[in-house]
Amino acid sequence: MAFPLNRRQLLGAGLAAAIPSAHAFIPVKVPQKWDETVDVLCVGTGFSGLAAAIEAHNAGASVLVIDKMALPGGNSILAAGGFAAPGNDMQKKAGIKDSPELLLADMLRAGGHLNHVECAKVVAYGAYDTYRWATDYLGVKWDRLGFQGGHSVARSCSFMNGTGADIIGPMLTKLSTLKVPVRLRTKLLNFVTDDNGAVIGVEVRANYQFPKEETGETKFIRVKRGVVLATGGFSQNVQMRTMHDPRLTAALDSTNSPAATGEGLQAAQRVGAGTCLMDWIQLGPWTSPDEKGFGVCPKFVEASVGYGLMIDPKTGKRFINETGNRKVRADAILAIGHPAIILISETNMKKHVPMSTVKAGLDNGSIKRFASLEELAQSYGIDPKLLKESVDRWNDAIAKKTDPDFKAKIFDDTEANEGTFFACRLWPRVHYCMGGLTINAKAEVIDTDFNILPGLFAAGEVCGGVHGMVRLGTVSIADCIVYGRVAGKAAANRKA
Amino acid sequence: MAFPLNRRQLLGAGLAAAIPSAHAFIPVKVPQKWDETVDVLCVGTGFSGLAAAIEAHNAGASVLVIDKMALPGGNSILAAGGFAAPGNDMQKKAGIKDSPELLLADMLRAGGHLNHVECAKVVAYGAYDTYRWATDYLGVKWDRLGFQGGHSVARSCSFMNGTGADIIGPMLTKLSTLKVPVRLRTKLLNFVTDDNGAVIGVEVRANYQFPKEETGETKFIRVKRGVVLATGGFSQNVQMRTMHDPRLTAALDSTNSPAATGEGLQAAQRVGAGTCLMDWIQLGPWTSPDEKGFGVCPKFVEASVGYGLMIDPKTGKRFINETGNRKVRADAILAIGHPAIILISETNMKKHVPMSTVKAGLDNGSIKRFASLEELAQSYGIDPKLLKESVDRWNDAIAKKTDPDFKAKIFDDTEANEGTFFACRLWPRVHYCMGGLTINAKAEVIDTDFNILPGLFAAGEVCGGVHGMVRLGTVSIADCIVYGRVAGKAAANRKA
């Protein structure tokens, strides 16, 4: 990616990319013969799809799980945060008082009250029970209690080995024990509906090799009770994301699995599913263009804010509140149109940033060490005089414990930034889709006329509404597993 | 409406209201016999629909215009602002330099760069030509040049008699001259599509009596070239707006025509049309719960900001930058959860607010006069001591020409607020839908798979994308007429 980006790169080629090919909105005909029949089909092997499969099986349904990828786990397996569970054992041990009401209030505040309250309640009030289920029934082990920005209390149970595999693994083991088949390389193409518009099956591509669209063979699976769609977000679909936020062109990478392409959502739309909050797509402001995926810079950045400062290399000046929320910071970096620089003195760094993080960044080249501010300025092409002025002004703010320019939070133990510096470049990545299919408290999908779409259930990031405009860290895992369980039970209990 | 609102009223009953009735997503069958055949059908008699009809006729098509209401003009006839036309005659006379590029830049800045640039360009570059067309071909007369917030220059041509009827009238006259029928009380129910998913006609309810859904008879109109959907926004549809912004419950009125219910948009969705930017719904922060519709308070408010101050009656304190944009102010009032009070001294009022406005407000009871601040405090139930402190603090800010609390703009000629006061209560109303159907530069509707939906065109507020997250005043009229003309020509020229 070359910077500065031109206007076209920044402002979106979304619509220009619309291909005037054949209009695809033609209902799929009911096949003469189905290749297979199940009670409940779960599409996707992330947290939601697997949780739904376990619950659907336990409610007495015959269940099949499919996933288009060659490996299970979807984008969930990349999750790094933890599980927001009010009332969890570690909170009790630490004497931290928490409640579903408090989690709900946090979600609504972060969500700008754009949350579908009915859905947010399902997650807030279901989180503890599902934490117990994960702990006691699946045998998930937790590492420690973490505090995440925007939450009122420390309530996030982090993974024993640091990733979502710590939950996906036990879920797959449980499904294996229950003899529920998980069929990979099987891609959902279309829903099949009856004369009343109800979902009665799916068209899939078996033996599909992602991302080769022409691979595999078409098969039809009859679904007697319900389909649970759990195909995740669309962060990796540039055309879809630019339609709703034209700034999010191919100039931005995504932290997500390459599988997060949104075709499941589109298949649902083709049979009438409604969507909501599609315009709210979360960017991570803390990713570096100098490493791939999520990387180590986010940890470096979140540990540095309130101590170091963020600079626009073009002007040599600060341009945003470094302790502002994800959205505020990401929007500001996009607005300047090129990567920002975050810098922190060695003194502050050593006290507040884990050395393992700094070492990993130095090793992969995303974090750099500079013997002096002048050297840093030269390396990033910043006017050294202007940079010096900005750092002096920030150090002055630190001394006074107040930032007159952007009202950033300055922590009490912050020291003046001077001497040796550590720094990295920052360019946002697409991280999470707050919008998606409209569902109700029972995980039933709502159509564009606001009626229930019979036979279709959805859970997890493919749905919109739970998080409003901003999702809090570690609430997506609660969302995915709670709603996956709701959807699996509801699908199994549906009378077709 | 009783204040304070309860949690449920504020946070949305959107999903709760979803009716679990029959799923309506079943394609309408092609009728055995069509009742009527036209080349181009225009749905809606606002600026877009009528402009489309004129251009479709002039391109050689047989045209029919339908509208569900008993009177023509839709929501357009209520428009009060003007027409943003860069390079217009009044600008030339006044020596004001302007350009499409400058209008586009203003639109993108206000739109937070969430605009579909391709569509915004159609409006910015088409505005002058369409202003000429309205002036020279339709004979529209303009009053004077106006400056609107967010624009770089004065470029808005205001209506001779103050409303959109000044354009709707000449359009209807032109259609009458051209012998293009405008059929009222005819409501679009469904699009009829062929085996390829192309729109080939519509199902309507003839002799429909708004809002009685069961009135009238079903008829089918075959459309040989294209349908232009110009049915406006959905500000009056509480269920639809709460789906995308759950704060906008029935606790909020709308400034719009009661006809702005969004069923045209939903009919398009039922045949696959995609939507974009649906979550961006503009509130007017300047409406009063003490009068209906748009009212006179907006003018009072916009003339008072920068002089008087806005107060939360519960705390007696200011709570937001009074000169902030519409969104900032409306969001802040919604967040406090009850009407705000704006107050201004008689001295400031007399210098800056038109007396006709104040008189109209005093007459309808929305604006009140108080001999003293104490009297004002008592009337609105504000703690008089806290209110006095707030006014003193604001007067101090006026003296220093800087607002330390909210950085509101303070105009140079502002005087201390004391003595006799004028005030009104403020509660936002839903004003404009920035989101809607996804279209391209040719006004073709794009489906949820990002293909062109053959036979369907759309223009005006039923579409999304042109305005990004915030629409500038007087640009909607440019949008509606420019895109109406584009859609009418494109539909007429389509080879079915």
Side-chain angles (χ1 to χ4, degrees):
Chain A
M1 187 60 55
F3 295 94
L5 299 168
N6 65 33
R7 195 185 192 87
R8 178 149 192 89
Q9 284 172 305
L10 275 174
L11 295 183
L15 277 170
I19 306 154
S21 73
H23 174 50
F25 219 81
I26 307 152
V28 173
K29 288 201 173 67
V30 178
Q32 300 250 312
K33 192 181 166 300
W34 297 96
D35 293 290
E36 192 169 357
T37 298
V38 293
D39 289 335
V40 172
L41 177 76
C42 299
V43 187
T45 59
F47 298 133
S48 298
L50 299 183
I54 295 168
E55 291 289 17
H57 170 91
N58 289 345
S62 69
V63 180
L64 171 65
V65 186
I66 62 171
D67 193 301
K68 69 179 174 183
M69 303 302 280
L71 292 170
N75 194 49
S76 298
I77 210 163
L78 302 179
F83 185 134
N88 67 66
D89 297 343
M90 291 185 282
Q91 281 184 320
K92 280 179 197 145
K93 215 167 173 179
I96 295 169
K97 279 199 178 167
D98 198 4
S99 68
E101 290 77 11
L102 193 59
L103 172 56
L104 181 65
D106 290 347
M107 291 168 67
L108 298 181
R109 191 177 54 244
H113 293 278
L114 300 188
N115 319 61
H116 286 204
V117 180
E118 182 190 33
C119 299
K121 277 184 178 169
V122 170
V123 175
Y125 285 88
Y128 177 74
D129 177 65
T130 282
Y131 155 83
R132 281 261 68 89
W133 182 78
T135 309
D136 303 338
Y137 177 67
L138 297 180
V140 172
K141 304 250 180 294
W142 310 104
D143 183 16
R144 55 204 166 93
L145 194 63
F147 177 82
Q148 293 268 332
H151 290 269
S152 294
V153 295
R155 61 163 67 102
S156 306
C157 306
S158 66
F159 306 125
M160 193 52 85
N161 301 296
T163 77
D166 289 344
I167 300 179
I168 293 292
M171 283 178 159
L172 288 170
T173 303
K174 181 64 73 180
L175 285 169
S176 171
T177 310
L178 301 175
K179 302 197 192 313
V180 173
V182 177
R183 195 176 300 160
L184 301 170
R185 286 190 167 147
T186 304
K187 183 183 177 182
L188 171 74
L189 296 182
N190 281 297
F191 291 100
V192 181
T193 52
D194 67 12
D195 288 346
N196 298 315
V199 170
I200 56 166
V202 296
E203 179 188 8
V204 300
R205 184 89 65 177
N207 300 310
Y208 167 76
Q209 295 181 350
F210 176 84
K212 299 176 196 159
E213 292 313 307
E214 297 312 311
T215 52
E217 315 89 45
T218 294
K219 301 269 181 194
F220 289 90
I221 303 171
R222 185 179 163 216
V223 182
K224 287 162 73 181
R225 300 195 197 170
V227 176
V228 177
L229 191 67
T231 48
F234 55 90
S235 287
Q236 292 283 10
N237 186 330
V238 176
Q239 197 172 26
M240 197 181 293
R241 72 193 199 202
T242 53
M243 207 55 79
H244 300 286
D245 186 338
R247 300 170 309 163
L248 310 187
T249 65
L252 272 69
D253 289 332
S254 168
T255 60
N256 282 200
S257 152
T261 49
E263 299 111 324
L265 194 158
Q266 287 182 297
Q269 286 185 294
R270 287 196 293 276
V271 292
T275 56
C276 62
L277 298 171
M278 291 291 282
D279 305 325
W280 297 102
I281 301 172
Q282 188 169 78
L283 301 176
W286 21 237
T287 44
S288 165
D290 301 319
E291 60 178 347
K292 298 213 164 174
F294 194 76
V296 298
C297 287
K299 210 166 197 176
F300 174 76
V301 171
E302 294 303 48
S304 297
V305 297
Y307 303 103
L309 64 164
M310 200 154 79
I311 291 284
D312 175 355
K314 212 168 199 171
T315 64
K317 292 186 177 169
R318 290 175 67 223
F319 61 99
I320 192 69
N321 170 2
E322 288 88 346
T323 52
N325 70 33
R326 288 176 178 181
K327 180 168 169 53
V328 164
R329 289 181 283 164
D331 284 353
I333 301 174
L334 279 191
I336 66 173
H338 48 252
I341 312 289
I342 187 160
L343 52 151
I344 183 170
S345 68
E346 185 160 26
T347 325
N348 279 319
M349 186 275 285
K350 280 192 166 164
K351 280 167 64 182
H352 305 292
V353 187
M355 271 315 295
S356 58
T357 300
V358 177
K359 190 176 175 307
L362 289 168
D363 285 351
N364 76 14
S366 59
I367 297 175
K368 288 184 178 173
R369 181 182 183 280
F370 300 99
S372 68
L373 197 60
E374 294 69 36
E375 198 183 286
L376 186 153
Q378 197 181 4
S379 171
Y380 293 120
I382 311 173
D383 182 315
K385 192 168 153 286
L386 295 176
L387 180 62
K388 178 74 166 56
E389 282 173 16
S390 295
V391 173
D392 286 348
R393 189 169 169 84
W394 177 241
N395 285 338
D396 191 50
I398 288 171
K400 292 177 181 152
K401 299 285 177 235
T402 180
D403 166 22
D405 299 322
F406 299 100
K407 303 205 185 288
K409 189 179 278 189
I410 297 173
F411 294 110
D412 280 344
D413 53 353
T414 312
E415 294 184 30
N417 287 277
E418 53 198 11
T420 302
F421 277 85
F422 288 76
C424 68
R425 302 200 304 156
L426 301 179
W427 185 243
R429 283 194 184 143
V430 182
H431 188 55
Y432 190 87
C433 299
M434 266 73 67
L437 298 176
T438 312
I439 55 169
N440 63 15
K442 296 175 186 168
E444 292 167 312
V445 172
I446 306 299
D447 73 15
T448 55
D449 289 323
F450 312 125
N451 298 310
I452 288 167
L453 204 167
L456 187 57
F457 301 80
E461 195 179 345
V462 75
C463 304
V466 167
H467 306 287
M469 63 181 276
V470 171
R471 175 181 66 76
L472 285 176
T474 73
V475 180
S476 69
I477 293 174
D479 174 18
C480 287
I481 309 181
V482 169
Y483 249 118
R485 296 179 67 203
V486 169
K489 284 180 212 171
N493 290 323
R494 176 169 170 265
K495 281 173 190 135
Chain B
M1 186 63 53
F3 295 94
L5 299 168
N6 66 31
R7 196 184 190 88
R8 179 146 191 92
Q9 284 172 307
L10 275 174
L11 296 183
L15 277 169
I19 307 153
S21 73
H23 175 50
F25 219 81
I26 306 151
V28 172
K29 288 202 174 67
V30 178
Q32 300 249 313
K33 193 181 166 297
W34 296 97
D35 293 290
E36 191 171 358
T37 299
V38 293
D39 290 333
V40 171
L41 177 77
C42 299
V43 187
T45 59
F47 297 134
S48 297
L50 299 183
I54 295 169
E55 291 289 16
H57 170 91
N58 289 345
S62 69
V63 180
L64 171 66
V65 186
I66 62 171
D67 193 302
K68 69 180 174 182
M69 303 302 281
L71 291 170
N75 194 49
S76 298
I77 210 163
L78 302 179
F83 185 135
N88 68 64
D89 297 344
M90 291 184 284
Q91 281 184 319
K92 278 178 197 144
K93 215 168 175 179
I96 295 169
K97 279 197 179 168
D98 198 3
S99 67
E101 289 78 10
L102 193 59
L103 172 56
L104 181 64
D106 289 347
M107 290 167 67
L108 298 181
R109 193 178 51 246
H113 293 279
L114 299 188
N115 318 62
H116 285 204
V117 180
E118 183 190 34
C119 298
K121 277 183 179 170
V122 169
V123 174
Y125 285 88
Y128 178 74
D129 176 65
T130 283
Y131 155 82
R132 280 261 69 88
W133 181 78
T135 310
D136 303 339
Y137 177 68
L138 298 181
V140 173
K141 303 251 181 293
W142 309 104
D143 183 16
R144 56 206 165 90
L145 194 64
F147 177 82
Q148 293 268 332
H151 290 270
S152 294
V153 294
R155 61 162 68 102
S156 306
C157 306
S158 66
F159 307 125
M160 191 54 84
N161 301 298
T163 77
D166 289 344
I167 300 180
I168 294 291
M171 283 178 158
L172 289 169
T173 304
K174 181 65 73 180
L175 285 168
S176 171
T177 309
L178 300 175
K179 303 199 192 311
V180 173
V182 177
R183 196 177 300 159
L184 300 171
R185 287 191 167 145
T186 305
K187 184 184 177 182
L188 171 74
L189 296 182
N190 280 297
F191 292 101
V192 181
T193 52
D194 67 12
D195 288 345
N196 298 315
V199 170
I200 56 166
V202 296
E203 177 188 10
V204 300
R205 185 88 67 176
N207 301 310
Y208 167 76
Q209 295 181 351
F210 177 87
K212 299 176 196 158
E213 292 313 307
E214 298 311 312
T215 51
E217 314 89 46
T218 295
K219 301 269 181 193
F220 288 90
I221 304 171
R222 185 179 163 216
V223 181
K224 287 163 72 182
R225 300 194 196 172
V227 175
V228 176
L229 190 67
T231 46
F234 56 90
S235 288
Q236 293 283 11
N237 186 329
V238 176
Q239 197 171 26
M240 197 181 296
R241 71 192 199 205
T242 52
M243 208 53 79
H244 300 286
D245 186 337
R247 300 172 307 163
L248 310 186
T249 64
L252 273 69
D253 289 331
S254 168
T255 60
N256 282 201
S257 152
T261 48
E263 300 110 323
L265 194 159
Q266 286 181 298
Q269 287 186 293
R270 286 196 294 274
V271 292
T275 56
C276 62
L277 296 171
M278 291 291 281
D279 305 326
W280 298 103
I281 301 172
Q282 189 169 79
L283 302 175
W286 18 238
T287 44
S288 165
D290 301 318
E291 60 178 347
K292 297 212 165 176
F294 194 76
V296 299
C297 287
K299 210 167 196 173
F300 175 75
V301 172
E302 293 303 51
S304 297
V305 297
Y307 302 103
L309 64 164
M310 200 154 80
I311 290 283
D312 175 355
K314 211 168 201 173
T315 64
K317 292 186 178 172
R318 291 176 65 224
F319 61 100
I320 193 68
N321 170 1
E322 288 88 345
T323 53
N325 70 33
R326 287 176 179 181
K327 180 168 169 51
V328 164
R329 289 182 284 164
D331 284 352
I333 300 174
L334 279 192
I336 66 173
H338 48 252
I341 312 290
I342 187 161
L343 52 151
I344 184 170
S345 69
E346 184 160 29
T347 325
N348 279 318
M349 186 276 285
K350 279 192 166 164
K351 281 167 65 182
H352 305 290
V353 186
M355 271 315 295
S356 58
T357 300
V358 178
K359 190 176 175 309
L362 289 168
D363 285 351
N364 75 14
S366 60
I367 297 175
K368 289 184 178 173
R369 182 183 182 280
F370 300 100
S372 67
L373 196 59
E374 293 69 36
E375 198 182 288
L376 186 154
Q378 197 181 5
S379 171
Y380 293 120
I382 312 173
D383 182 314
K385 191 170 153 283
L386 295 176
L387 181 62
K388 177 75 166 53
E389 282 173 16
S390 295
V391 173
D392 286 347
R393 189 169 169 84
W394 177 241
N395 285 338
D396 190 50
I398 288 170
K400 293 175 180 155
K401 299 288 178 231
T402 181
D403 166 23
D405 299 320
F406 299 100
K407 302 203 183 291
K409 190 179 275 188
I410 297 173
F411 295 110
D412 281 343
D413 53 353
T414 311
E415 294 184 32
N417 287 278
E418 52 197 12
T420 302
F421 278 84
F422 288 76
C424 69
R425 302 201 306 155
L426 301 179
W427 185 244
R429 284 192 183 145
V430 183
H431 189 55
Y432 189 86
C433 299
M434 268 71 69
L437 298 175
T438 313
I439 55 168
N440 63 14
K442 295 174 186 169
E444 291 166 313
V445 172
I446 306 299
D447 73 16
T448 55
D449 289 323
F450 312 125
N451 298 308
I452 289 167
L453 203 167
L456 186 57
F457 302 81
E461 195 179 345
V462 76
C463 304
V466 167
H467 306 287
M469 63 182 273
V470 171
R471 177 180 67 75
L472 285 175
T474 73
V475 180
S476 68
I477 294 174
D479 172 19
C480 287
I481 309 181
V482 168
Y483 249 119
R485 296 179 68 204
V486 168
K489 284 180 212 172
N493 291 322
R494 174 166 172 268
K495 279 173 191 134

